[in-house]
Amino acid sequence: MRTPLLPLALTLLATSAVAKDRATFRYTPPADEERPVVVEGTVGPQGSDFALRLRFDKLPFGQECGIRCANTTLLLDTDASTQSGLKLSGKAPENGADLAIIVQGTRDLSGTKSDSFLRVKVRRLTTEARTVDDGELLTELDNRRDPERIHIEGNTVYLLIDASSDLPSGRKVRIVYHPPGSKAIQATLPGMLSGSASSGKVKIFRRGSWGTAKQGGQRVGVENK
């Protein structure tokens, strides 16, 4: 039996020479994974925001996933240094993370009938934090009331996360995605001090490209490839 050249569980796509303004990672979940999980993510700085495109293997919220919808955490080490941010025991790859982005498919049961939606919590992690839950809640978004920050197309979620709060800054940012039961995936992207975030226009990933967008996510441009 031939040994595969790459592990089937994890592949990491490095940032190409043409696309230095962002980083992309990929993950192949096991066949028995019940919850929707991110199988491809792309992250880059845009102005005072981080823009993310997260493609799930199935719809992250709604009737299809029922009570087992998306519950995904991505960690950003905004200065690529373990001196600040989350402090776990040992040499965990999550150490140094300054920002946690938690994406959850959920339901609103307050009305006469349940309403499914996608919720995004953003937590600030300091050296006092020993878990993600120890972080200060900076904001809580959902796709119904925050269309300028969350856009959904099928299994793909587009996010603009405000990074203008008191976060450590550097020329590089490290992103950590740790799928349940698998090894952590890490990638490095330009930081807020790199110059890649200097454009005054809001940009967001739309249909596979860096599309220049007005507030609300209307695409008016595409990436040069």
Side-chain angles (χ1 to χ4, degrees):
M1 180 177 179
R2 296 179 60 186
T3 302
L5 296 178
L6 292 173
L8 293 180
L10 295 173
T11 60
L12 177 63
L13 181 66
T15 305
S16 70
V18 176
K20 293 181 180 179
D21 57 350
R22 64 192 188 272
T24 300
F25 63 85
R26 290 175 179 164
Y27 168 68
T28 302
D32 59 353
E33 176 60 57
E34 295 182 4
R35 285 188 184 273
V37 294
V38 175
V39 293
E40 183 178 274
T42 307
V43 187
Q46 294 297 323
S48 60
D49 299 316
F50 285 109
L52 297 88
R53 183 187 69 180
L54 305 176
R55 182 168 62 85
F56 288 80
D57 60 336
K58 44 197 168 189
L59 291 173
F61 70 100
Q63 296 299 320
E64 183 175 310
C65 55
I67 61 172
R68 300 284 291 174
C69 293
N71 191 2
T72 294
T73 298
L74 292 99
L75 299 174
L76 295 182
D77 180 358
T78 55
D79 60 352
S81 170
T82 57
Q83 298 303 307
S84 61
L86 182 65
K87 293 291 185 289
L88 302 180
S89 60
K91 296 182 178 180
E94 292 86 349
N95 280 331
D98 304 293
L99 203 65
I101 302 168
I102 303 112
V103 183
Q104 299 172 319
T106 188
R107 291 186 293 171
D108 183 354
L109 302 177
S110 60
T112 56
K113 64 177 183 178
S114 64
D115 179 22
S116 299
F117 66 99
L118 197 74
R119 176 170 58 198
V120 178
K121 295 181 180 180
V122 182
R123 292 187 178 275
R124 168 77 162 91
L125 304 173
T126 68
T127 54
E128 304 295 321
R130 298 296 179 267
T131 70
V132 170
D133 290 336
D134 290 338
E136 173 193 1
L137 182 63
L138 296 179
T139 188
E140 184 172 325
L141 310 169
D142 77 53
N143 64 295
R144 303 168 302 177
R145 68 168 189 256
D146 301 297
E148 76 282 2
R149 292 281 168 182
I150 304 176
H151 178 77
I152 300 170
E153 293 182 1
N155 293 4
T156 303
V157 176
Y158 302 85
L159 302 175
L160 281 172
I161 302 299
D162 186 0
S164 62
S165 57
D166 185 23
L167 289 168
S169 296
R171 296 186 64 81
K172 292 183 179 181
V173 172
R174 187 171 56 92
I175 184 168
V176 182
Y177 172 49
H178 203 155
S182 298
K183 294 181 180 179
I185 302 173
Q186 300 183 66
T188 302
L189 56 137
M192 290 299 175
L193 302 183
S194 67
S196 293
S198 60
S199 172
K201 297 180 179 179
V202 175
K203 295 182 181 180
I204 191 169
F205 264 116
R206 294 293 305 277
R207 300 179 181 88
S209 62
W210 278 115
T212 304
K214 298 178 181 178
Q215 289 293 333
Q218 180 183 357
R219 189 180 67 153
V220 296
V222 295
E223 175 190 14
N224 293 323
K225 297 186 178 181

